[in-house]
């Protein structure tokens, strides 16, 4: 049974076709890579899944229920979390507060319990801080909890985004170029982290240009070109596919 | 760096304030210090207003320059209930707040999705509309240009508040309550959500925060508090008129929050004392005053855009939570550039 299914999704931006009838499935607890040349529509697919933009037509099914057109905050609550290609941390806030934002959707305190601090609010707050510290330790960033997020190195900021996403207790994690801007050592660490996330039972869908990473950790690879799926299968199957080689290297015509 | 913990510092601050009226009398200042106390009362009311604006502008980052509109709704609601319906003035306070909040809700619906500068322009429009409605005596309730006079004196437990010093304690007790509530708000799930929205809306939505809902709540809460400050104005002046609610006052409030320190309670307190207090002191030089005020604005925005006392990052109690959780990776920290 697949956890996420896209059925015939279309999305155009003022006449430009970004996503042209994509259908795909992501099996539960798998690591799936979405690859393709620049402009193939990968990030647009991510934005459609997370509700950052709405498809013109087609359907998105998560855990057997349609989520097409739901607002982003509702989708997060259902268990889909993401990171961003161009890192979007709360730069001036502390590392810990960044991760606490992920806990927001699992908390209940509203305006009045914020003001009057009943015991339930204090317990919830404590539990959220604990969860945030747990995720920070998981990503190896717990010692930096008090620093402003903007002071972290590029690679660590990517890890902090992952920790923030994990704090929302997702079943499905979407990573948009997680290794972007990382050196070889950081990328190797990242691969270990993604494997550990899978071991927690979280399904991972990722966009990545680092083919070494994709081929090593993905259970399945889906290749996009011009907003459509041109190939899918295991890393080995995709690597040998002539259409894929063509899309990446270009044909000599 | 400082000798006292933040709560004690606030306590010391309010204790010094509370001692001011008897000290002024003790040292035989002219008229028992009525002028000085009157100025402090103005500062107190502006502080309450500025703190309520701080929720909207400082925490949520909404460029709202029409806050006096809500102040006016509250002040007129109190004045009308008192003069036409005989309600004791202080009992009108919750109604004044609720009416201002309701008005904010009506206004907020259509405009809350507007960004930065667009929102600014629309809120300026709102404050002008309110002033002109009041001036033209729409519904025959507001008394036109003359406003509403003859508001009765406030009473608390049978005690009539007659002198400026009486009002001083009323206003500053309310200001103290406002400081406490704001700091509780700031350090809660609600306050954090507003700060996330201010920093990055896309990321905040990606964390499961309902952006529009939180913005509207901030707007309505700020308006509620400004409406109650309106009651205090009616108590103090015993007269409300349209000229008390001009656009330039909205600008002044905006400046208090930005100059003092957006999202910083201590900053807003300092901003209120500086901008309203200096305005009182330099009353005789009103032309030069605006020049100095403008110059100060420019200098601040160039050299210290985060305000006089910037908001500080909150520290959390992490006892028992450090070094205990398993790592998937090694530790990643230590020495690194930038």
């Amino acid at each position: 049974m697949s956890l996420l299914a896209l059925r015939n999704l279309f999305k155009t931006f003022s006449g430009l076709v970004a996503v042209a009838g994509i259908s795909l499935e992501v099996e539960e607890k798998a690591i799936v890579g979405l690859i393709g040349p620049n402009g193939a529509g990968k990030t647009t697919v991510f934005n459609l899944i997370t509700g950052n933009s709405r498809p013109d037509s087609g359907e998105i099914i998560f855990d057997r229920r349609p989520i097409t057109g739901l607002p982003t905050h509702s989708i997060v609550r259902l268990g889909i979390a993401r990171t961003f290609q161009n890192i979007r941390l709360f730069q001036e806030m502390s590392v810990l507060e960044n991760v606490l934002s992920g806990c927001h959707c699992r908390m209940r305190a509203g305006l009045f319990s914020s003001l009057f601090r009943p015991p339930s609010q204090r317990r919830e707050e404590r539990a959220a801080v604990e969860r945030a510290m747990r995720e920070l330790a998981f990503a190896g960033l717990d010692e930096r909890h008090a620093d402003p997020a903007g002071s972290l190195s590029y690679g660590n900021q990517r890890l902090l985004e992952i920790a923030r996403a994990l704090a929302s207790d997702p079943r499905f994690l979407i990573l948009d170029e997680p290794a972007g801007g990382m050196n070889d050592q950081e990328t190797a660490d990242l691969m270990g982290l993604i494997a550990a996330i899978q071991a927690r039972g979280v399904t991972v869908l990722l966009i990545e240009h680092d083919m070494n990473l994709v081929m090593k950790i993905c259970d399945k690879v889906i290749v996009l070109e011009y907003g459509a799926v041109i190939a899918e299968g295991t890393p080995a199957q995709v690597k040998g596919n002539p259409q894929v080689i063509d899309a990446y290297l270009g044909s000599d015509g | 760096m400082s000798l006292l913990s933040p709560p004690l510092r606030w306590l010391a601050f309010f204790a010094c304030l509370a001692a001011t009226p008897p000290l002024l009398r003790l040292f035989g200042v002219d008229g028992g210090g009525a002028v000085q106390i009157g100025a402090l009362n103005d500062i107190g009311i502006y502080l309450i207003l500025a703190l309520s604006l701080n929720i909207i502008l400082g925490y949520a980052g909404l460029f709202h320059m029409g806050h006096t509109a809500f102040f006016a709704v509250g002040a007129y609601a109190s004045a009308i209930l008192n003069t036409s319906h005989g309600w004791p003035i202080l009992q009108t306070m919750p109604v004044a707040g609720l009416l201002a909040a309701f008005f904010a809700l009506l206004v907020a619906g259509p405009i809350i999705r507007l960004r930065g500068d667009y929102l600014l322009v629309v809120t300026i429009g709102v404050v002008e509309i309110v002033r002109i409605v009041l001036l033209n005596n729409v519904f025959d309730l507001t008394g036109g240009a003359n406003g509403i006079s003859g508001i009765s004196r406030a009473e608390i437990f049978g005690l009539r508040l007659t002198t400026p010093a009486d009002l001083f304690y009323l206003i500053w007790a309310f200001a103290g309550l406002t400081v406490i509530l704001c700091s509780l708000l700031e350090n809660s799930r609600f306050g954090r959500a507003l700060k996330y929205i201010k920093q990055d809306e896309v990321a905040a939505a990606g964390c499961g925060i309902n952006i529009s809902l939180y913005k509207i709540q901030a707007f309505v809460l700020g308006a509620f508090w400004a409406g109650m400050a309106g009651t205090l104005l009616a108590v103090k002046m015993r007269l409300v008129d349209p000229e008390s609610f001009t656009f330039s006052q909205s600008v002044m409030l905006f400046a208090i929050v930005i100059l003092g320190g957006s999202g910083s309670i201590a900053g807003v307190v300092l901003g209120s004392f500086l901008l309203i207090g200096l305005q009182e002191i330099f009353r005789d030089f009103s032309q030069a005053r605006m020049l100095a005020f403008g110059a100060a604005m420019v200098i601040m925005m160039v050299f210290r855009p985060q305000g006089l006392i910037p908001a500080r990052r909150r520290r959390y109690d992490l006892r028992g939570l450090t070094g205990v959780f398993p790592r998937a990776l090694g530790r990643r920290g230590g020495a690194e550039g930038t």
Side-chain angles (χ1 to χ4, degrees), chain A residues 32-165:
Chain A
V32 176
L34 194 60
I35 65 170
N38 286 327
K42 303 181 297 288
T43 296
T44 306
V45 170
F46 275 18
N47 286 336
L48 293 176
I49 297 171
T50 56
N52 291 88
S53 61
R54 284 172 188 218
D56 300 334
S57 67
E59 210 178 11
I60 303 165
I61 316 277
F62 179 67
D63 194 21
R64 276 170 282 182
R65 65 181 277 192
I67 58 165
T68 326
L70 284 181
T72 303
H73 61 89
S74 308
I75 290 174
V76 176
R77 196 183 292 256
L78 290 173
I80 300 181
R82 75 171 293 179
T83 66
F84 296 90
Q85 184 181 353
N86 46 341
I87 298 172
R88 300 194 85 124
L89 289 166
F90 307 111
Q91 297 282 338
E92 287 158 36
M93 300 174 84
S94 71
V95 165
L96 176 61
E97 281 192 302
N98 269 273
V99 183
L100 271 178
S101 70
C103 300
H104 181 92
C105 68
R106 302 289 169 229
M107 297 169 77
R108 303 164 64 95
L111 178 53
F112 287 99
S113 61
S114 291
L115 287 178
F116 299 111
R117 304 279 166 108
S120 62
Q121 187 269 351
R122 274 174 280 162
R123 271 199 304 274
E124 179 185 84
E125 190 77 9
R126 177 79 183 166
V129 173
E130 183 179 334
R131 175 68 192 252
M133 285 304 286
R134 190 181 286 278
E135 297 301 349
L136 273 179
F138 184 75
L141 290 169
D142 48 339
E143 287 173 2
R144 306 293 302 268
H145 65 83
D147 298 341
S151 74
L152 297 186
S153 70
Y154 205 69
N156 281 351
Q157 292 197 18
R158 292 231 178 257
L159 295 180
L160 179 55
E161 267 208 326
I162 295 176
R164 178 175 72 183

Side-chain angles (χ1 to χ4, degrees), chain B residues 177-260:
Chain B
L177 175 71
T178 309
V179 167
I180 292 170
L181 291 180
C182 282
S183 70
L184 287 171
L185 193 74
E186 185 176 306
N187 296 319
S188 69
R189 175 176 182 252
F190 184 86
R192 273 199 306 270
L194 297 184
K195 287 187 257 182
Y196 296 139
I197 291 171
K198 179 184 180 179
Q199 295 238 328
D200 187 332
E201 285 193 18
V202 174
C207 294
I209 294 167
N210 185 342
I211 308 281
S212 299
L213 181 71
Y214 272 89
K215 281 185 176 177
I216 288 176
Q217 285 189 69
F219 214 68
V220 168
L221 179 68
F224 177 70
W225 219 255
M228 296 204 292
T231 306
L232 292 178
L233 183 81
V235 168
K236 175 176 181 282
M237 307 294 288
R238 301 182 60 208
L239 159 93
V240 291
D241 65 4
E243 289 317 301
S244 308
F245 309 101
T246 57
F247 170 60
S248 70
Q249 277 173 309
S250 280
V251 176
M252 183 66 94
L253 284 171
F254 199 87
I256 288 174
V257 174
I258 300 290
L259 286 183

